[in-house]
Short mmCIF file of all heavy atoms in Angstrom, two decimals:
data_model
loop_
_atom_site.label_atom_id
_atom_site.label_comp_id
_atom_site.label_asym_id
_atom_site.label_seq_id
_atom_site.Cartn_x
_atom_site.Cartn_y
_atom_site.Cartn_z
N MET A 125 134.13 160.32 176.65
CA MET A 125 133.31 161.45 176.95
C MET A 125 132.76 162.03 175.65
O MET A 125 133.51 162.34 174.74
CB MET A 125 134.13 162.49 177.71
CG MET A 125 133.32 163.70 178.06
SD MET A 125 133.96 164.65 179.45
CE MET A 125 135.34 165.47 178.76
N ASN A 126 131.44 162.17 175.55
CA ASN A 126 130.78 162.66 174.35
C ASN A 126 130.51 164.15 174.49
O ASN A 126 129.75 164.57 175.35
CB ASN A 126 129.48 161.89 174.11
CG ASN A 126 128.90 162.15 172.74
OD1 ASN A 126 129.50 162.84 171.94
ND2 ASN A 126 127.74 161.60 172.51
N GLU A 127 131.16 164.96 173.65
CA GLU A 127 130.99 166.39 173.70
C GLU A 127 129.77 166.81 172.90
O GLU A 127 129.51 166.29 171.83
CB GLU A 127 132.24 167.07 173.12
CG GLU A 127 132.73 168.20 173.97
CD GLU A 127 134.02 168.76 173.43
OE1 GLU A 127 135.06 168.12 173.65
OE2 GLU A 127 133.96 169.82 172.82
N ALA A 128 129.02 167.79 173.42
CA ALA A 128 127.85 168.29 172.71
C ALA A 128 128.28 169.04 171.46
O ALA A 128 129.33 169.68 171.43
CB ALA A 128 127.06 169.22 173.63
N LYS A 129 127.46 168.95 170.42
CA LYS A 129 127.74 169.67 169.19
C LYS A 129 127.61 171.16 169.43
O LYS A 129 126.75 171.61 170.19
CB LYS A 129 126.72 169.28 168.11
CG LYS A 129 126.90 167.92 167.54
CD LYS A 129 125.88 167.71 166.42
CE LYS A 129 126.06 166.37 165.77
NZ LYS A 129 125.13 166.19 164.64
N LYS A 130 128.46 171.93 168.79
CA LYS A 130 128.34 173.38 168.83
C LYS A 130 127.13 173.79 167.99
O LYS A 130 126.86 173.23 166.93
CB LYS A 130 129.60 174.07 168.28
CG LYS A 130 130.82 173.80 169.11
CD LYS A 130 130.72 174.48 170.45
CE LYS A 130 131.99 174.28 171.24
NZ LYS A 130 131.94 174.87 172.56
N LYS A 131 126.38 174.76 168.50
CA LYS A 131 125.13 175.18 167.86
C LYS A 131 125.34 176.49 167.11
O LYS A 131 125.87 177.46 167.66
CB LYS A 131 124.06 175.36 168.93
CG LYS A 131 122.67 175.61 168.38
CD LYS A 131 121.65 175.88 169.47
CE LYS A 131 121.71 174.90 170.59
NZ LYS A 131 120.70 175.17 171.64
N ILE A 132 124.90 176.52 165.84
CA ILE A 132 125.00 177.71 165.00
C ILE A 132 123.61 178.15 164.59
O ILE A 132 122.80 177.34 164.13
CB ILE A 132 125.84 177.43 163.73
CG1 ILE A 132 127.27 177.06 164.11
CG2 ILE A 132 125.83 178.64 162.80
CD1 ILE A 132 128.13 176.65 162.94
N LEU A 133 123.33 179.44 164.77
CA LEU A 133 122.10 180.04 164.24
C LEU A 133 122.47 180.66 162.90
O LEU A 133 123.31 181.56 162.83
CB LEU A 133 121.56 181.10 165.20
CG LEU A 133 120.40 181.96 164.68
CD1 LEU A 133 119.21 181.11 164.24
CD2 LEU A 133 119.97 182.97 165.74
N LEU A 134 121.85 180.19 161.85
CA LEU A 134 122.10 180.63 160.48
C LEU A 134 120.91 181.46 160.03
O LEU A 134 119.77 180.97 160.06
CB LEU A 134 122.30 179.40 159.60
CG LEU A 134 122.60 179.58 158.14
CD1 LEU A 134 123.86 180.41 157.94
CD2 LEU A 134 122.75 178.23 157.47
N VAL A 135 121.15 182.70 159.64
CA VAL A 135 120.06 183.62 159.30
C VAL A 135 120.25 184.16 157.89
O VAL A 135 121.24 184.83 157.60
CB VAL A 135 120.00 184.80 160.30
CG1 VAL A 135 118.76 185.66 160.02
CG2 VAL A 135 120.03 184.32 161.74
N ASP A 136 119.29 183.86 157.02
CA ASP A 136 119.29 184.39 155.65
C ASP A 136 117.89 184.28 155.09
O ASP A 136 117.18 183.33 155.39
CB ASP A 136 120.28 183.61 154.77
CG ASP A 136 120.70 184.39 153.55
OD1 ASP A 136 119.81 184.76 152.73
OD2 ASP A 136 121.89 184.67 153.40
N ASP A 137 117.48 185.26 154.29
CA ASP A 137 116.14 185.23 153.72
C ASP A 137 116.09 184.56 152.34
O ASP A 137 115.03 184.47 151.75
CB ASP A 137 115.55 186.64 153.64
CG ASP A 137 116.38 187.60 152.82
OD1 ASP A 137 117.59 187.38 152.69
OD2 ASP A 137 115.82 188.59 152.32
N GLU A 138 117.23 184.07 151.87
CA GLU A 138 117.28 183.33 150.60
C GLU A 138 117.26 181.83 150.91
O GLU A 138 118.24 181.29 151.43
CB GLU A 138 118.56 183.68 149.82
CG GLU A 138 118.62 185.11 149.34
CD GLU A 138 117.64 185.37 148.22
OE1 GLU A 138 117.31 184.44 147.46
OE2 GLU A 138 117.20 186.54 148.11
N PRO A 139 116.16 181.14 150.59
CA PRO A 139 116.03 179.72 150.94
C PRO A 139 117.15 178.83 150.40
O PRO A 139 117.60 177.92 151.09
CB PRO A 139 114.68 179.30 150.35
CG PRO A 139 113.93 180.56 150.14
CD PRO A 139 114.96 181.65 149.93
N ASP A 140 117.62 179.10 149.19
CA ASP A 140 118.69 178.27 148.61
C ASP A 140 120.00 178.42 149.37
O ASP A 140 120.70 177.44 149.62
CB ASP A 140 118.92 178.63 147.13
CG ASP A 140 117.75 178.22 146.24
OD1 ASP A 140 116.96 177.33 146.66
OD2 ASP A 140 117.62 178.78 145.14
N ILE A 141 120.33 179.64 149.75
CA ILE A 141 121.55 179.89 150.52
C ILE A 141 121.44 179.24 151.89
O ILE A 141 122.36 178.56 152.36
CB ILE A 141 121.82 181.40 150.65
CG1 ILE A 141 122.16 181.99 149.28
CG2 ILE A 141 122.92 181.68 151.67
CD1 ILE A 141 122.26 183.50 149.25
N LEU A 142 120.29 179.42 152.53
CA LEU A 142 120.06 178.85 153.86
C LEU A 142 120.20 177.33 153.82
O LEU A 142 120.89 176.73 154.65
CB LEU A 142 118.65 179.25 154.33
CG LEU A 142 118.37 179.27 155.81
CD1 LEU A 142 119.29 180.22 156.54
CD2 LEU A 142 116.93 179.67 156.05
N SER A 143 119.60 176.70 152.83
CA SER A 143 119.63 175.24 152.70
C SER A 143 121.05 174.72 152.46
O SER A 143 121.49 173.76 153.10
CB SER A 143 118.70 174.82 151.56
OG SER A 143 118.78 173.45 151.34
N MET A 144 121.77 175.37 151.53
CA MET A 144 123.12 174.92 151.20
C MET A 144 124.06 175.08 152.38
O MET A 144 124.81 174.16 152.71
CB MET A 144 123.64 175.72 149.99
CG MET A 144 124.95 175.20 149.46
SD MET A 144 126.43 176.24 149.64
CE MET A 144 125.89 177.89 149.74
N LEU A 145 124.03 176.23 153.04
CA LEU A 145 124.91 176.45 154.19
C LEU A 145 124.57 175.51 155.34
O LEU A 145 125.46 174.99 156.00
CB LEU A 145 124.84 177.91 154.65
CG LEU A 145 125.51 178.92 153.74
CD1 LEU A 145 125.23 180.34 154.23
CD2 LEU A 145 127.00 178.67 153.65
N LYS A 146 123.29 175.30 155.57
CA LYS A 146 122.87 174.38 156.64
C LYS A 146 123.41 172.98 156.39
O LYS A 146 123.96 172.34 157.28
CB LYS A 146 121.34 174.36 156.76
CG LYS A 146 120.86 173.46 157.88
CD LYS A 146 119.35 173.50 158.04
CE LYS A 146 119.00 172.77 159.31
NZ LYS A 146 117.93 171.85 159.22
N MET A 147 123.28 172.52 155.16
CA MET A 147 123.75 171.18 154.80
C MET A 147 125.27 171.06 155.02
O MET A 147 125.74 170.08 155.59
CB MET A 147 123.39 170.89 153.34
CG MET A 147 123.81 169.52 152.87
SD MET A 147 123.31 169.18 151.17
CE MET A 147 124.15 170.49 150.28
N ARG A 148 126.02 172.06 154.58
CA ARG A 148 127.48 172.03 154.72
C ARG A 148 127.91 172.07 156.19
O ARG A 148 128.83 171.36 156.59
CB ARG A 148 128.12 173.20 153.96
CG ARG A 148 127.89 173.18 152.46
CD ARG A 148 128.70 172.17 151.77
NE ARG A 148 130.10 172.53 151.91
CZ ARG A 148 131.09 171.82 151.45
NH1 ARG A 148 130.86 170.71 150.81
NH2 ARG A 148 132.33 172.19 151.63
N LEU A 149 127.25 172.90 156.98
CA LEU A 149 127.60 173.02 158.40
C LEU A 149 127.25 171.74 159.16
O LEU A 149 128.02 171.27 160.00
CB LEU A 149 126.93 174.24 159.03
CG LEU A 149 127.48 175.59 158.56
CD1 LEU A 149 126.55 176.72 158.98
CD2 LEU A 149 128.89 175.81 159.09
N GLU A 150 126.10 171.16 158.87
CA GLU A 150 125.71 169.90 159.52
C GLU A 150 126.67 168.78 159.14
O GLU A 150 127.02 167.95 159.97
CB GLU A 150 124.27 169.54 159.18
CG GLU A 150 123.27 170.41 159.90
CD GLU A 150 121.83 170.14 159.50
OE1 GLU A 150 121.57 169.58 158.41
OE2 GLU A 150 120.94 170.50 160.29
N ALA A 151 127.11 168.77 157.88
CA ALA A 151 128.07 167.76 157.43
C ALA A 151 129.42 167.91 158.16
O ALA A 151 130.17 166.95 158.28
CB ALA A 151 128.28 167.85 155.92
N SER A 152 129.69 169.10 158.65
CA SER A 152 130.92 169.36 159.41
C SER A 152 130.75 169.13 160.90
O SER A 152 131.65 169.42 161.68
CB SER A 152 131.39 170.80 159.16
OG SER A 152 131.75 170.95 157.80
N GLY A 153 129.56 168.65 161.30
CA GLY A 153 129.36 168.27 162.69
C GLY A 153 128.69 169.28 163.59
O GLY A 153 128.65 169.10 164.81
N TYR A 154 128.15 170.35 163.03
CA TYR A 154 127.47 171.35 163.84
C TYR A 154 125.97 171.11 163.90
O TYR A 154 125.39 170.57 162.97
CB TYR A 154 127.71 172.75 163.26
CG TYR A 154 129.16 173.16 163.29
CD1 TYR A 154 129.95 173.05 162.15
CD2 TYR A 154 129.74 173.63 164.46
CE1 TYR A 154 131.29 173.41 162.17
CE2 TYR A 154 131.08 173.99 164.49
CZ TYR A 154 131.84 173.88 163.35
OH TYR A 154 133.16 174.23 163.38
N GLU A 155 125.36 171.54 164.99
CA GLU A 155 123.91 171.59 165.08
C GLU A 155 123.52 172.95 164.52
O GLU A 155 124.06 173.98 164.93
CB GLU A 155 123.45 171.48 166.53
CG GLU A 155 121.96 171.61 166.71
CD GLU A 155 121.52 171.62 168.17
OE1 GLU A 155 122.33 171.27 169.05
OE2 GLU A 155 120.37 171.99 168.41
N VAL A 156 122.60 172.97 163.55
CA VAL A 156 122.25 174.23 162.89
C VAL A 156 120.77 174.51 163.06
O VAL A 156 119.92 173.66 162.79
CB VAL A 156 122.59 174.17 161.37
CG1 VAL A 156 122.21 175.48 160.69
CG2 VAL A 156 124.06 173.86 161.17
N ILE A 157 120.48 175.72 163.55
CA ILE A 157 119.10 176.21 163.59
C ILE A 157 119.04 177.39 162.62
O ILE A 157 120.05 178.06 162.39
CB ILE A 157 118.67 176.61 165.02
CG1 ILE A 157 119.67 177.56 165.66
CG2 ILE A 157 118.44 175.40 165.87
CD1 ILE A 157 119.28 178.04 167.04
N THR A 158 117.88 177.61 162.02
CA THR A 158 117.78 178.63 160.98
C THR A 158 116.66 179.62 161.26
O THR A 158 115.72 179.33 162.00
CB THR A 158 117.53 177.98 159.60
OG1 THR A 158 116.29 177.28 159.63
CG2 THR A 158 118.66 177.05 159.21
N ALA A 159 116.81 180.78 160.63
CA ALA A 159 115.77 181.81 160.64
C ALA A 159 115.84 182.55 159.31
O ALA A 159 116.92 182.70 158.74
CB ALA A 159 115.99 182.78 161.80
N ALA A 160 114.68 183.00 158.83
CA ALA A 160 114.63 183.67 157.53
C ALA A 160 114.30 185.15 157.65
O ALA A 160 114.17 185.84 156.64
CB ALA A 160 113.61 182.97 156.63
N ASP A 161 114.16 185.67 158.87
CA ASP A 161 113.90 187.09 159.05
C ASP A 161 114.48 187.55 160.39
O ASP A 161 114.81 186.73 161.25
CB ASP A 161 112.40 187.40 158.96
CG ASP A 161 111.60 186.74 160.07
OD1 ASP A 161 111.67 187.23 161.22
OD2 ASP A 161 110.92 185.73 159.80
N GLY A 162 114.59 188.85 160.55
CA GLY A 162 115.23 189.40 161.72
C GLY A 162 114.51 189.12 163.03
O GLY A 162 115.15 188.83 164.05
N ASN A 163 113.20 189.19 163.02
CA ASN A 163 112.44 188.94 164.25
C ASN A 163 112.61 187.51 164.74
O ASN A 163 112.85 187.28 165.93
CB ASN A 163 110.94 189.25 164.04
CG ASN A 163 110.70 190.73 163.81
OD1 ASN A 163 111.27 191.57 164.49
ND2 ASN A 163 109.86 191.04 162.84
N THR A 164 112.51 186.56 163.84
CA THR A 164 112.70 185.16 164.20
C THR A 164 114.14 184.91 164.66
O THR A 164 114.37 184.18 165.63
CB THR A 164 112.36 184.24 163.00
OG1 THR A 164 111.02 184.52 162.57
CG2 THR A 164 112.49 182.78 163.36
N ALA A 165 115.09 185.53 163.98
CA ALA A 165 116.50 185.38 164.37
C ALA A 165 116.71 185.86 165.81
O ALA A 165 117.36 185.18 166.61
CB ALA A 165 117.39 186.16 163.42
N TYR A 166 116.19 187.02 166.13
CA TYR A 166 116.33 187.56 167.48
C TYR A 166 115.71 186.62 168.51
O TYR A 166 116.34 186.30 169.53
CB TYR A 166 115.69 188.95 167.57
CG TYR A 166 115.71 189.51 168.96
CD1 TYR A 166 116.89 189.99 169.52
CD2 TYR A 166 114.56 189.52 169.74
CE1 TYR A 166 116.92 190.48 170.81
CE2 TYR A 166 114.58 190.01 171.02
CZ TYR A 166 115.76 190.50 171.56
OH TYR A 166 115.78 190.97 172.84
N ASN A 167 114.50 186.16 168.24
CA ASN A 167 113.82 185.26 169.19
C ASN A 167 114.57 183.94 169.36
O ASN A 167 114.71 183.44 170.49
CB ASN A 167 112.38 185.01 168.75
CG ASN A 167 111.52 186.25 168.88
OD1 ASN A 167 111.77 187.09 169.76
ND2 ASN A 167 110.53 186.38 168.03
N LYS A 168 115.07 183.36 168.27
CA LYS A 168 115.81 182.10 168.37
C LYS A 168 117.15 182.29 169.07
O LYS A 168 117.59 181.42 169.82
CB LYS A 168 116.01 181.47 166.98
CG LYS A 168 114.74 180.85 166.44
CD LYS A 168 114.99 180.06 165.17
CE LYS A 168 113.72 179.37 164.72
NZ LYS A 168 113.97 178.48 163.58
N ALA A 169 117.79 183.42 168.84
CA ALA A 169 119.06 183.69 169.52
C ALA A 169 118.84 183.77 171.04
O ALA A 169 119.64 183.25 171.82
CB ALA A 169 119.68 184.98 169.01
N LYS A 170 117.75 184.40 171.45
CA LYS A 170 117.45 184.54 172.88
C LYS A 170 117.02 183.21 173.51
O LYS A 170 117.37 182.93 174.65
CB LYS A 170 116.35 185.59 173.09
CG LYS A 170 116.74 186.99 172.67
CD LYS A 170 117.78 187.61 173.57
CE LYS A 170 117.11 188.10 174.83
NZ LYS A 170 118.01 188.77 175.74
N SER A 171 116.29 182.39 172.77
CA SER A 171 115.77 181.14 173.35
C SER A 171 116.74 179.97 173.21
O SER A 171 116.84 179.14 174.12
CB SER A 171 114.42 180.78 172.74
OG SER A 171 114.55 180.49 171.36
N ASP A 172 117.46 179.87 172.09
CA ASP A 172 118.30 178.70 171.82
C ASP A 172 119.77 178.90 172.21
O ASP A 172 120.52 177.93 172.25
CB ASP A 172 118.23 178.32 170.34
CG ASP A 172 116.84 177.83 169.94
OD1 ASP A 172 116.09 177.37 170.82
OD2 ASP A 172 116.51 177.91 168.75
N LEU A 173 120.18 180.14 172.48
CA LEU A 173 121.54 180.46 172.91
C LEU A 173 122.62 179.76 172.07
O LEU A 173 123.39 178.94 172.57
CB LEU A 173 121.71 180.12 174.39
CG LEU A 173 120.74 180.81 175.35
CD1 LEU A 173 120.94 180.29 176.77
CD2 LEU A 173 120.88 182.31 175.28
N PRO A 174 122.69 180.10 170.78
CA PRO A 174 123.70 179.47 169.91
C PRO A 174 125.12 179.89 170.29
O PRO A 174 125.33 180.94 170.90
CB PRO A 174 123.32 179.99 168.52
CG PRO A 174 122.66 181.30 168.78
CD PRO A 174 121.92 181.12 170.08
N ASP A 175 126.07 179.05 169.90
CA ASP A 175 127.49 179.37 170.11
C ASP A 175 127.98 180.39 169.09
O ASP A 175 128.93 181.13 169.35
CB ASP A 175 128.33 178.09 169.99
CG ASP A 175 127.96 177.09 171.06
OD1 ASP A 175 128.20 177.38 172.25
OD2 ASP A 175 127.39 176.03 170.71
N LEU A 176 127.35 180.42 167.92
CA LEU A 176 127.74 181.31 166.84
C LEU A 176 126.50 181.69 166.05
O LEU A 176 125.59 180.87 165.87
CB LEU A 176 128.74 180.60 165.91
CG LEU A 176 129.17 181.34 164.64
CD1 LEU A 176 130.09 182.50 165.00
CD2 LEU A 176 129.87 180.39 163.69
N ILE A 177 126.45 182.94 165.57
CA ILE A 177 125.36 183.39 164.70
C ILE A 177 125.98 183.86 163.39
O ILE A 177 126.87 184.71 163.40
CB ILE A 177 124.55 184.54 165.34
CG1 ILE A 177 123.93 184.09 166.66
CG2 ILE A 177 123.47 185.03 164.36
CD1 ILE A 177 123.26 185.20 167.45
N ILE A 178 125.51 183.30 162.29
CA ILE A 178 125.89 183.78 160.96
C ILE A 178 124.67 184.54 160.46
O ILE A 178 123.62 183.95 160.20
CB ILE A 178 126.25 182.61 160.02
CG1 ILE A 178 127.43 181.83 160.59
CG2 ILE A 178 126.57 183.14 158.62
CD1 ILE A 178 127.79 180.58 159.82
N LEU A 179 124.83 185.86 160.34
CA LEU A 179 123.68 186.76 160.19
C LEU A 179 123.77 187.57 158.91
O LEU A 179 124.72 188.35 158.73
CB LEU A 179 123.66 187.68 161.41
CG LEU A 179 122.58 188.74 161.53
CD1 LEU A 179 121.20 188.09 161.58
CD2 LEU A 179 122.81 189.56 162.79
N ASP A 180 122.81 187.39 158.02
CA ASP A 180 122.68 188.23 156.83
C ASP A 180 122.28 189.63 157.30
O ASP A 180 121.61 189.79 158.31
CB ASP A 180 121.60 187.63 155.92
CG ASP A 180 121.48 188.34 154.58
OD1 ASP A 180 122.39 189.09 154.21
OD2 ASP A 180 120.46 188.13 153.90
N LEU A 181 122.71 190.65 156.57
CA LEU A 181 122.39 192.02 156.98
C LEU A 181 121.07 192.51 156.43
O LEU A 181 120.34 193.22 157.10
CB LEU A 181 123.52 192.96 156.55
CG LEU A 181 124.86 192.68 157.22
CD1 LEU A 181 125.92 193.62 156.69
CD2 LEU A 181 124.75 192.77 158.73
N MET A 182 120.75 192.14 155.20
CA MET A 182 119.51 192.59 154.56
C MET A 182 118.43 191.53 154.77
O MET A 182 118.41 190.51 154.08
CB MET A 182 119.74 192.82 153.06
CG MET A 182 120.86 193.81 152.76
SD MET A 182 120.59 195.44 153.49
CE MET A 182 119.23 196.01 152.52
N LEU A 183 117.56 191.78 155.74
CA LEU A 183 116.52 190.82 156.11
C LEU A 183 115.16 191.51 156.18
O LEU A 183 115.09 192.70 156.48
CB LEU A 183 116.81 190.24 157.50
CG LEU A 183 118.06 189.39 157.65
CD1 LEU A 183 118.36 189.17 159.13
CD2 LEU A 183 117.89 188.06 156.93
N PRO A 184 114.09 190.75 155.96
CA PRO A 184 112.75 191.31 156.18
C PRO A 184 112.52 191.51 157.69
O PRO A 184 113.14 190.86 158.51
CB PRO A 184 111.80 190.26 155.61
CG PRO A 184 112.59 189.03 155.38
CD PRO A 184 114.04 189.40 155.42
N GLY A 185 111.62 192.40 158.01
CA GLY A 185 111.36 192.71 159.42
C GLY A 185 112.46 193.63 159.90
O GLY A 185 112.69 194.68 159.31
N ILE A 186 113.17 193.23 160.92
CA ILE A 186 114.31 194.03 161.36
C ILE A 186 115.56 193.50 160.67
O ILE A 186 115.70 192.30 160.47
CB ILE A 186 114.45 194.03 162.90
CG1 ILE A 186 114.61 192.63 163.48
CG2 ILE A 186 113.28 194.74 163.53
CD1 ILE A 186 114.86 192.60 164.97
N ASP A 187 116.45 194.40 160.27
CA ASP A 187 117.63 193.95 159.51
C ASP A 187 118.71 193.39 160.45
O ASP A 187 118.60 193.46 161.67
CB ASP A 187 118.18 195.05 158.61
CG ASP A 187 118.74 196.25 159.37
OD1 ASP A 187 119.17 196.09 160.53
OD2 ASP A 187 118.76 197.34 158.78
N GLY A 188 119.74 192.84 159.86
CA GLY A 188 120.81 192.20 160.62
C GLY A 188 121.53 193.14 161.58
O GLY A 188 121.93 192.75 162.67
N TYR A 189 121.68 194.41 161.17
CA TYR A 189 122.32 195.38 162.06
C TYR A 189 121.49 195.57 163.34
O TYR A 189 122.03 195.62 164.44
CB TYR A 189 122.47 196.74 161.37
CG TYR A 189 123.46 196.75 160.24
CD1 TYR A 189 123.05 196.89 158.92
CD2 TYR A 189 124.83 196.63 160.47
CE1 TYR A 189 123.94 196.91 157.88
CE2 TYR A 189 125.75 196.65 159.45
CZ TYR A 189 125.30 196.79 158.14
OH TYR A 189 126.21 196.81 157.10
N GLN A 190 120.17 195.67 163.18
CA GLN A 190 119.29 195.86 164.34
C GLN A 190 119.29 194.62 165.24
O GLN A 190 119.29 194.75 166.45
CB GLN A 190 117.87 196.20 163.87
CG GLN A 190 117.76 197.57 163.25
CD GLN A 190 116.39 197.80 162.63
OE1 GLN A 190 115.96 197.02 161.78
NE2 GLN A 190 115.73 198.85 163.06
N VAL A 191 119.28 193.45 164.62
CA VAL A 191 119.35 192.21 165.41
C VAL A 191 120.61 192.22 166.25
O VAL A 191 120.59 191.93 167.45
CB VAL A 191 119.31 190.95 164.50
CG1 VAL A 191 119.57 189.69 165.31
CG2 VAL A 191 117.99 190.84 163.77
N CYS A 192 121.72 192.57 165.62
CA CYS A 192 123.01 192.60 166.31
C CYS A 192 122.96 193.59 167.48
O CYS A 192 123.41 193.27 168.59
CB CYS A 192 124.07 193.02 165.31
SG CYS A 192 125.63 192.20 165.55
N ARG A 193 122.43 194.76 167.27
CA ARG A 193 122.33 195.76 168.34
C ARG A 193 121.45 195.28 169.48
O ARG A 193 121.76 195.50 170.65
CB ARG A 193 121.81 197.09 167.78
CG ARG A 193 122.87 197.93 167.12
CD ARG A 193 122.37 199.34 166.86
NE ARG A 193 121.39 199.38 165.79
CZ ARG A 193 121.67 199.54 164.50
NH1 ARG A 193 122.91 199.68 164.12
NH2 ARG A 193 120.71 199.57 163.60
N LEU A 194 120.34 194.63 169.14
CA LEU A 194 119.42 194.14 170.18
C LEU A 194 120.06 193.06 171.03
O LEU A 194 119.80 192.98 172.24
CB LEU A 194 118.13 193.60 169.54
CG LEU A 194 117.18 194.65 168.97
CD1 LEU A 194 116.10 193.97 168.16
CD2 LEU A 194 116.58 195.50 170.08
N LEU A 195 120.87 192.22 170.40
CA LEU A 195 121.51 191.14 171.16
C LEU A 195 122.66 191.67 171.99
O LEU A 195 122.99 191.18 173.02
CB LEU A 195 122.02 190.04 170.22
CG LEU A 195 120.92 189.27 169.50
CD1 LEU A 195 121.53 188.33 168.47
CD2 LEU A 195 120.10 188.49 170.50
#
């Protein structure tokens, strides 16, 4: 029986951090989707229904606290 990969939404506005964390998480067997701002993070969380969200607090657009409250 083949189990589906757990999906993680990774949100950070620093491209280097986003890239490094995405690479490490994928190497550990997770499916990783990314967002670089609060609005995109909120929309992807609603549409892609990740199992886990790793959310930076200081983001352009709406910040991580607001994203969390909206979800």
Side-chain angles (χ1 to χ4, degrees):
M125 180 158 75
N126 192 4
E127 226 175 283
K129 288 184 177 183
K130 296 291 184 182
K131 188 184 312 181
I132 297 175
L133 171 57
L134 181 58
V135 186
D136 201 301
D137 59 335
E138 294 289 332
D140 291 339
I141 293 172
L142 204 59
S143 175
M144 188 248 334
L145 288 174
K146 182 177 190 226
M147 181 178 59
R148 297 286 295 177
L149 290 167
E150 286 176 339
S152 295
Y154 296 99
E155 177 185 347
V156 180
I157 51 178
T158 62
D161 63 76
N163 293 317
T164 304
Y166 175 75
N167 291 330
K168 285 188 176 186
K170 296 291 281 183
S171 65
D172 294 336
L173 303 175
D175 297 294
L176 175 72
I177 300 173
I178 300 174
L179 180 61
D180 186 16
L181 296 177
M182 304 301 291
L183 295 167
I186 59 175
D187 66 26
Y189 292 110
Q190 290 172 304
V191 172
C192 216
R193 278 192 289 271
L194 288 169
L195 293 173

